[in-house]
Amino acid sequence: MIDVASHKIRLLEQSPAVEGQFSHFVESTDWHAMTQSHQEKTEQDVLRALSKSKLNVEDFAALISPAAEPYLLEMAAKSEQLTLQRFGKTLSLFAPLYLSNTCANECTYCGFSMSNAIKRLTLNESQVEKEIAAIKDKGFDHILLVTGETNKVSMPYFERMLPLIKSHFSQLSMEVQPLNSEEYKRLQTIGLDGVLVYQETYRRKTYLEHHLRGNKSNFNYRLDAPDRIGQAGIHKIGLGVLLGLEDWRTDSVMMAHHLRHLQKRYWRSRFSVAFPRIRPCEGGIVPKSIITDRQLVQLIAAWRLFDWDVEMSLSTRESPEFRHHAVRMGFTTMSAESKTQPGGYADDAQAALEQFEISDERPVAEIIAMIRSQGREVVWKNWDPALSHV
Ligand code: SF4
């Protein structure tokens, strides 16, 4: 475990808040006032939110508040119904492909942190080909590229790897270091469809306590990454917070504001949200704010009621039991049989390289059977770049 207090926090020069981008909103928002606001939500606020078809962020705050807990079953049923109406009985599966666990950052919750004494590996072309073959063998057609954050794994590496990987998959997303708009535009021309940048927490003070060194400690630069992705015209933008770093309700309300901010400006893009909870890892921390299974269900249902169109993703961080029960609730995509270490699909003996422990380790065939048992069908390909020009 990393003792945060014993680390000398080296602050990078922080980017200024940019007017018109989301950092400007965060800088002008009082975290405590926002926390107090959702704590004070009443049963009337919850009933009002439940009766509306278009919810604003205040309604969302009411639905994730303690006052909404008695309405959990009603919320879950409505969430399922809305998801069926909008997305049908389908769920798409994707696989994360970890290209590198080399990282120049120090994040207290991550097994890839620079100071962790683990073996580092960045896949070369032939190793990537082996991973692709192993992943295709399982049936996947949607791939999420994941890397640590270092200069060695930046644009020149992405420019080599993307065309190679994209030639095997119909949909390619990335979860890598934040880039600038021109770089996103360039990657779009060689196959990039979506970018996920999880803010981890929207509270600057807490963010700096958990991002001790490296470029990731630049709070505003990360915060404005989704704006830059939208400006580049990327098809899909993914948001997320690491549930447990801070008050999960306040972070979720901030993320709801973030989604609305982006939707107003980049209306051609689609959006997705995810709900990662802190998992055990090499050198990991104890969560500050525990979100129980019941509260996570409440949060998921509230998101679907808040936004009928947003895609929602369920990862293998969650247990088989939780995924089994959550699959009908509002999700549109799910990972399966994930490996969180570079080279892990072709050679599973590399567990010490992993970013965090997977909770649901069932093989893809079992996940498909589970999804079908819940009355849903698996789709491997739910979007084609050609459709964006129609
Ligand atoms: S969370 Fe990302 S940036 Fe931070 S240590 Fe892990 S891989 Fe590096």
Side-chain angles (χ1 to χ4, degrees), residues 76-363:
K78 201 166 175 188
S79 172
E80 180 177 348
Q81 180 209 338
L82 290 172
T83 307
L84 275 174
Q85 270 173 24
R86 170 64 185 83
F87 297 96
K89 293 188 170 186
T90 59
L91 203 74
S92 81
L93 288 184
F94 73 94
L97 167 52
Y98 278 68
L99 294 171
S100 174
N101 65 354
T102 304
C103 193
N105 288 331
E106 190 75 48
C107 307
T108 59
Y109 48 82
C110 179
F112 291 175
S113 280
M114 187 172 69
S115 66
N116 282 348
I118 59 166
K119 199 174 143 200
R120 305 289 171 166
L121 179 63
T122 299
L123 302 184
N124 60 28
E125 278 84 346
S126 74
Q127 290 166 320
V128 168
E129 294 273 17
K130 282 187 192 151
E131 289 291 271
I132 291 171
I135 292 170
K136 291 296 290 183
D137 206 37
K138 296 179 196 296
F140 291 103
D141 198 36
H142 175 188
I143 195 90
L144 170 67
L145 306 184
V146 187
T147 68
E149 299 190 7
T150 160
N151 289 341
K152 283 187 206 149
V153 185
S154 54
M155 280 302 284
Y157 182 81
F158 300 143
E159 287 177 311
R160 270 178 29 228
M161 292 302 169
L162 256 67
L164 165 67
I165 298 167
K166 185 57 189 271
S167 65
H168 297 273
F169 297 94
S170 67
Q171 195 173 342
L172 185 152
S173 307
M174 288 180 104
E175 189 180 344
V176 304
Q177 59 186 295
L179 303 170
N180 64 43
S181 277
E182 291 308 311
E183 290 169 330
Y184 286 126
K185 275 186 201 162
R186 164 75 189 127
L187 295 182
Q188 190 179 35
T189 65
I190 55 173
L192 180 63
D193 301 309
V195 184
L196 316 184
V197 183
Y198 296 168
Q199 184 55 34
E200 321 298 10
T201 175
Y202 287 91
R203 189 179 192 190
R204 174 192 282 276
K205 173 176 172 290
T206 307
Y207 184 93
L208 295 178
E209 286 168 5
H210 288 282
H211 301 95
L212 307 175
R213 278 189 293 182
N215 290 338
K216 194 168 175 179
S217 58
N218 194 328
F219 179 73
N220 281 353
Y221 187 72
R222 191 170 190 88
L223 196 53
D224 287 335
D227 277 290
R228 297 194 298 276
I229 300 164
Q231 285 155 7
I234 299 287
H235 176 70
K236 195 188 293 183
I237 304 172
L239 303 178
V241 288
L242 186 54
L243 297 167
L245 282 188
E246 245 307 334
D247 181 308
W248 64 266
R249 290 190 175 91
T250 314
D251 259 336
S252 298
V253 172
M254 289 297 273
M255 194 161 91
H257 278 291
H258 201 172
L259 179 69
R260 287 290 184 257
H261 164 95
L262 296 168
Q263 285 173 327
K264 271 187 212 147
R265 286 162 179 78
Y266 315 110
W267 52 272
R268 284 174 189 270
S269 294
R270 296 193 51 74
F271 297 91
S272 67
V273 291
F275 313 92
R277 291 194 276 191
I278 291 178
R279 291 283 307 151
C281 72
E282 185 87 30
I285 55 156
V286 176
K288 172 176 173 183
S289 145
I290 304 277
I291 175 165
T292 64
D293 284 358
R294 213 178 144 78
Q295 289 167 333
L296 184 54
V297 168
Q298 183 184 354
L299 178 62
I300 292 161
W303 267 105
R304 175 54 69 222
L305 269 57
F306 174 60
D307 196 294
W308 299 6
D309 209 37
V310 73
E311 296 187 20
M312 295 181 17
S313 180
L314 180 60
S315 90
T316 49
R317 284 172 181 261
E318 295 303 332
S319 69
E321 296 73 32
F322 186 89
R323 281 168 41 107
H324 182 90
H325 292 294
V327 88
R328 294 158 63 111
M329 270 195 51
F331 289 103
T332 54
T333 59
M334 204 172 179
S335 53
E337 210 179 333
S338 301
K339 303 294 177 193
T340 67
Q341 70 273 33
Y345 293 98
D347 176 9
D348 201 17
Q350 305 276 30
L353 302 183
E354 69 185 6
Q355 189 182 30
F356 57 84
E357 289 173 24
I358 292 301
S359 183
D360 187 351
E361 296 182 329
R362 289 173 294 174

